[in-house]
Amino acid sequence: MEKPRVLFLCTGNSARSQMAEALLRKMAGNHFEVHSAGLEPTVIHPMTIKVLEEIGIDASQQYAKPLTTYLGKTQFSYLVTVCSKAEERCPFFPGMGQRLHWPFEDPAAFEGNDKEKLDYFRTIRDQIQARIQQWLSELNIS
């Protein structure tokens, strides 16, 4: 039986959506096929990789992808926007299942010294992890 597909979407696909992809894959990858994309993809922020490594997730092979990679080609059971810009600008497209919106602040936009930035990336990572755990509980997936 095919696993339900989940797509996490944000603007740059550099931090939040990448974290969500890696976290859901670690937490419930046996239940879902997990992807992420951006409306205007850039490159993965180095602190995204670092804060995931801190909790035992190797995201070094992940890369930023445009939404067009999937539009009209892949059907998703869940589309999860993780930023308000993506929620406002994401088109509805064939094959999109349930649409969810989990807004998180952009850690890449945080201003401060390197330690403060890294701490903020950790905060957002932990918020995303908690939201995924809540969602998995709602779906009765442990």
Side-chain angles (χ1 to χ4, degrees):
M1 189 169 157
E2 208 173 270
K3 294 188 245 183
R5 288 186 189 95
V6 178
L7 176 64
F8 290 101
L9 182 69
C10 68
T11 306
N13 195 215
S14 67
R16 296 163 287 185
S17 55
Q18 292 287 344
M19 288 184 206
E21 175 185 355
L23 287 162
L24 180 59
R25 191 173 288 126
K26 179 180 180 181
M27 296 165 73
N30 56 327
H31 293 280
F32 298 100
E33 182 181 318
V34 190
H35 302 269
S36 68
L39 295 173
E40 300 167 8
T42 59
V43 296
I44 297 181
H45 196 289
M47 288 188 184
T48 299
I49 302 296
K50 182 169 180 53
V51 300
L52 290 169
E53 283 176 355
E54 290 176 350
I55 59 169
I57 298 174
D58 177 6
S60 63
Q61 299 303 307
Q62 289 183 205
Y63 59 96
K65 300 161 289 301
L67 179 59
T68 55
T69 299
Y70 303 109
L71 269 178
K73 302 169 193 157
T74 307
Q75 294 192 348
F76 289 95
S77 301
Y78 301 94
L79 169 73
V80 184
T81 56
V82 293
C83 75
S84 296
K85 286 181 184 176
E87 176 64 15
E88 292 166 9
R89 295 178 45 210
C90 179
F92 282 90
F93 56 89
M96 179 175 35
Q98 186 176 359
R99 185 170 172 155
L100 305 170
H101 180 53
W102 302 346
F104 297 100
E105 294 295 321
D106 183 2
F110 182 82
E111 297 201 12
N113 64 41
D114 285 349
K115 183 191 179 313
E116 292 167 334
K117 287 179 185 178
L118 188 58
D119 286 343
Y120 197 66
F121 267 82
R122 290 178 180 126
T123 297
I124 299 302
R125 175 202 62 202
D126 294 347
Q127 289 174 359
I128 293 170
Q129 186 172 21
R131 183 62 186 96
I132 289 171
Q133 188 59 58
Q134 177 187 348
W135 183 59
L136 292 173
S137 294
E138 292 166 5
L139 297 174
N140 293 316
I141 296 173
S142 51

